Amino acid sequence: MLEIQQLHFSYDKKTPVLNGLNLTVQQGDFLALIGPNGCGKTTLIKLICDLLEKQKGSIKLDGLDHNDFKVKNAVLYLPSDDVLPEFLTGKEYINLMLKMYNASMDEERFHRLVKYYSFDSALDVLIEEYSNGMKKKVQLIAAMLIDPEILIIDETLNGMDVESREITKLLLMNFSGPNKIVIMCSHDLHLLEEMCNKVVILYQGKIHTEKKIDDVRQTTSLLSIFRGIMNHEDLKNEIISS
Ligand SMILES: Nc1ncnc2c1ncn2[C@@H]1O[C@H](COP(=O)(O)OP(=O)(O)OP(=O)(O)O)[C@@H](O)[C@H]1O
């Protein structure tokens, strides 16, 4: 169980980005993390991964602090910005990632993943020559081989062609399961509704809404809930009538 309690964070020590955030994510959860631009989704993810230093509060996985080596080794974060070691080939990058996570290469799985993404001819090419979509694919192949306990995805499906997106969706849904936590941050609410089993909406530094996706589907949609919080109808009408 990932337990976040009373988390506070501010970049300039004045304007709070996270303001006493509480969140519990259970093994088996495939969580959609949504919220308006700038609400702090990436900040929250970076705090969970100990890439930013928290100022107040606690983040624990199964009772262990998030900066414990065991927790760090259990969490894999796929960021949205694709900063990869450009001087490596795809295959070298995958091997490096496996080493960093003390994971062994499952050759059979590796070849299957390469086949799903039609990635064979890209493996020996330098990452500096990769397109955005190829960078996403090589990160996903590495992630699926590492098989982490917690996978955090920040807009990773952006830039992928339709078929690769579908393959990724299926791979991630297969990956999630009773022993895993998947947190996916995206503005593609339809995709999240298809894939995830829970949603949390981050707004004004706190978790504003927390719901099971099945409950959302029965009554409304993620888009309607999101629009209800943002309440931009007046602005849109002003633009239409101008
Ligand atoms: N390195 C930084 N230094 C100062 N302020 C930052 C930094 N990174 C983010 N911020 C600010 O913190 C707030 C939260 O940013 P964050 O990137 O976490 O939002 P987000 O919800 O992921 O946004 P988006 O949906 O646009 O990706 C924003 O006001 C942003 O301007």
Side-chain angles (χ1 to χ4, degrees):
M1 183 166 69
L2 178 68
E3 252 188 315
I4 303 175
Q5 283 181 339
Q6 281 302 310
L7 187 62
H8 290 256
F9 184 82
S10 160
Y11 286 95
D12 60 6
K13 306 261 160 74
K14 282 188 294 217
T15 330
V17 177
L18 302 179
N19 195 10
L21 179 142
N22 294 307
L23 176 67
T24 301
V25 193
Q26 312 271 0
Q27 272 84 356
D29 282 347
F30 192 146
L31 185 79
L33 173 62
I34 66 174
N37 289 132
C39 72
K41 301 179 293 293
T42 303
T43 304
L44 172 60
I45 289 171
K46 286 184 177 170
L47 285 162
I48 294 172
C49 300
D50 204 26
L51 299 172
L52 284 173
E53 204 175 324
K54 64 183 188 310
Q55 289 147 359
K56 222 170 138 190
S58 68
I59 306 174
K60 290 186 174 173
L61 177 67
D62 298 331
L64 285 178
D65 198 84
H66 70 136
N67 56 22
D68 189 287
F69 169 76
K70 279 191 204 141
V71 177
K72 287 192 170 180
N73 211 44
V75 181
L76 196 142
Y77 167 42
L78 300 182
S80 58
D81 52 17
D82 293 328
V83 181
L84 298 179
E86 306 251 312
F87 51 89
L88 296 181
T89 65
K91 184 74 195 292
E92 286 167 345
Y93 167 77
I94 292 166
N95 283 329
L96 177 71
M97 288 295 289
L98 286 169
K99 245 190 206 144
M100 279 169 62
Y101 277 86
N102 280 322
S104 52
M105 173 62 98
D106 178 339
E107 290 288 344
E108 201 265 328
R109 188 159 170 68
F110 171 65
H111 289 297
R112 260 190 296 135
L113 290 162
V114 168
K115 185 177 79 177
Y116 297 154
Y117 280 131
S118 308
F119 209 73
D120 206 15
S121 58
L123 284 172
D124 294 323
V125 174
L126 285 178
I127 291 177
E128 68 177 5
E129 291 176 37
Y130 280 13
S131 67
N132 282 339
M134 288 162 84
K135 286 182 183 170
K136 305 282 182 200
K137 288 179 189 176
V138 79
Q139 289 180 86
L140 281 155
I141 292 173
M144 292 296 123
L145 289 168
I146 290 166
D147 197 27
E149 191 180 331
I150 301 187
L151 180 61
I152 305 181
I153 307 152
D154 199 349
E155 290 288 1
T156 298
L157 276 66
N158 278 1
M160 283 191 152
D161 63 63
V162 187
E163 281 306 289
S164 307
R165 230 171 105 94
E166 202 56 31
I167 298 275
T168 306
K169 201 175 95 183
L170 294 172
L171 285 173
L172 291 174
M173 287 167 81
N174 267 356
F175 172 84
S176 69
N179 301 319
K180 306 281 187 192
I181 289 175
V182 186
I183 301 176
M184 187 154 159
C185 185
S186 172
H187 293 289
D188 187 338
L189 303 185
H190 293 299
L191 179 79
L192 292 175
E193 219 173 292
E194 281 180 73
M195 295 173 73
C196 301
N197 61 7
K198 259 192 188 170
V199 60
V200 293
I201 303 182
L202 181 55
Y203 188 54
Q204 297 182 334
K206 291 191 169 141
I207 300 300
H208 176 284
T209 303
E210 189 168 352
K211 276 185 185 296
K212 285 189 180 156
I213 294 285
D214 279 346
D215 295 344
V216 173
R217 276 203 212 100
Q218 273 176 18
T219 51
T220 174
S221 67
L222 276 184
L223 186 59
S224 307
I225 296 178
F226 193 80
R227 283 190 169 146
I229 295 169
M230 295 305 107
N231 200 10
H232 280 166
E233 290 316 301
D234 289 350
L235 292 179
K236 284 191 243 166
N237 289 333
E238 187 183 310
I239 294 166
I240 290 165
S241 61
S242 66

